[in-house]
Amino acid sequence: MILLSCRDLTMTYDGAVAVEHVSFDVEAGDVLCIVGENGSGKSTLLKGLLGLLPVKEGEVLYQNGLRRDRAGYLPQQTPVQRDFPASVWEVVLSGCLSRKRRGPFYSAHDRARAESALDRLSIGDLRRRPYRELSGGQQQRVLLARALCATERLLLLDEPVTGLDPVVTAEFYGLIGRLNREDGVAVVMVSHDIKSAAGISTKILHLAKSVLFFGSAEAYRASETGRFFLEGRAHD
Ligand code: ADP
Ligand code: MG
């Protein structure tokens, strides 16, 4: 069942092409990993899927009852965002805002969603802590909980493990894998470290403005593009 189709998508910044003729589908059950060098258009593509940046050509179609405002998003983090002065509870609850039709006020239903997201990611005990004082791994869990408030069906995660050590990275992928398998959430995840994501990825989209490869993770590993990229990074 297709949740999202991206058809011949082209995106530009002031005329400079950042994403070119990109087509792929996201299906229920997928963990799609988007890989590519810095500047290859990964973050731009995610923002295009979410309607946060305009699309020059092509289209993004949400299907089978999924709506764009029912996708959960974890943006690529900047140092300023890591210093955000709010409590964990406030950060998680703010994930409900994307679903809102009217008004800035949270409903009992919103609070219940935030509660269940905290629970699901085992961070209920952090709820009163200032977000900025948490470790990198805890902060990413909080942002994942925030993204979960928006969705039951599709998470879009932009470099969710960058800067985390290998143990915390493995834990974080474990959480994502569980959300996928146990809760049936499809995942689109940007990573520049494909090897650590390989365990939970079912499909790979290799981007270099345009699509170098799109297909199963298995086919990617056997492909020339995949072998070159994986071996080229073997000594990182
Ligand atoms: P990635 O996430 O793969 O590192 P990005 O999507 O951030 O790549 O960037 C793709 C290209 O678009 C790069 O050449 C980058 O310099 C350019 N770019 C990204 N954001 C902007 C922006 N706000 N204004 C102008 N150019 C941008
Ligand atoms: Mg990026």
Side-chain angles (χ1 to χ4, degrees):
M1 180 174 59
I2 293 177
L3 297 177
L4 173 64
S5 291
C6 179
R7 296 199 185 138
D8 204 26
L9 197 71
T10 293
M11 299 175 65
T12 60
Y13 293 102
D14 297 324
V17 172
V19 166
E20 196 166 35
H21 300 305
V22 169
S23 297
F24 65 96
D25 293 326
V26 181
E27 294 179 75
D30 280 351
V31 178
L32 169 63
C33 188
I34 303 179
V35 299
E37 304 294 339
N38 273 335
S40 59
K42 305 182 297 295
S43 295
T44 303
L45 174 60
L46 280 201
K47 289 176 190 166
L49 300 181
L50 287 156
L52 300 173
L53 283 176
V55 156
K56 177 124 198 306
E57 281 168 39
E59 58 185 353
V60 176
L61 290 172
Y62 283 79
Q63 300 191 45
N64 286 301
L66 182 64
R67 294 177 3 198
R68 197 169 72 184
D69 64 356
R70 293 287 195 274
Y73 177 43
L74 190 167
Q76 188 170 355
Q77 293 304 294
T78 64
V80 171
Q81 288 161 332
R82 290 195 186 96
D83 208 29
F84 193 67
S87 71
V88 165
W89 173 249
E90 289 166 317
V91 171
V92 173
L93 191 59
S94 71
C96 295
L97 287 174
S98 69
R99 314 168 58 96
K100 289 216 155 312
R101 305 261 126 225
R102 60 198 122 81
F105 302 107
Y106 295 113
S107 65
H109 183 243
D110 293 336
R111 285 190 288 274
R113 288 191 70 82
E115 203 65 63
S116 108
L118 282 174
D119 236 34
R120 190 70 181 102
L121 300 183
S122 316
I123 50 173
D125 55 331
L126 298 179
R127 76 177 64 228
R128 284 186 187 53
R129 296 273 301 278
Y131 173 77
R132 71 212 287 175
E133 289 175 11
L134 303 180
S135 71
Q138 289 171 327
Q139 286 191 338
Q140 291 306 86
R141 273 191 196 223
V142 170
L143 294 179
L144 186 58
R146 178 180 187 276
L148 265 187
C149 279
T151 198
E152 282 92 37
R153 299 180 68 193
L154 178 64
L155 284 169
L156 301 167
L157 313 175
D158 197 346
E159 304 219 3
V161 299
T162 297
L164 305 184
D165 68 44
V167 171
V168 177
T169 295
E171 276 171 17
F172 199 81
Y173 283 140
L175 281 175
I176 293 171
R178 265 179 39 207
L179 291 172
N180 175 252
R181 287 190 315 273
E182 298 172 9
D183 300 355
V185 182
V187 178
V188 175
M189 173 173 75
V190 171
S191 171
H192 58 226
D193 176 11
I194 191 210
K195 268 181 289 171
S196 69
I200 61 166
S201 303
T202 59
K203 290 185 185 163
I204 305 290
L205 175 70
H206 188 148
L207 201 62
K209 281 190 197 176
S210 56
V211 176
L212 290 188
F213 179 93
F214 173 63
S216 73
E218 204 173 40
Y220 181 69
R221 279 190 283 274
S223 72
E224 205 163 320
T225 309
R227 288 213 310 268
F228 182 78
F229 194 64
L230 291 166
E231 280 159 26
R233 297 195 152 249
H235 305 293
D236 277 9

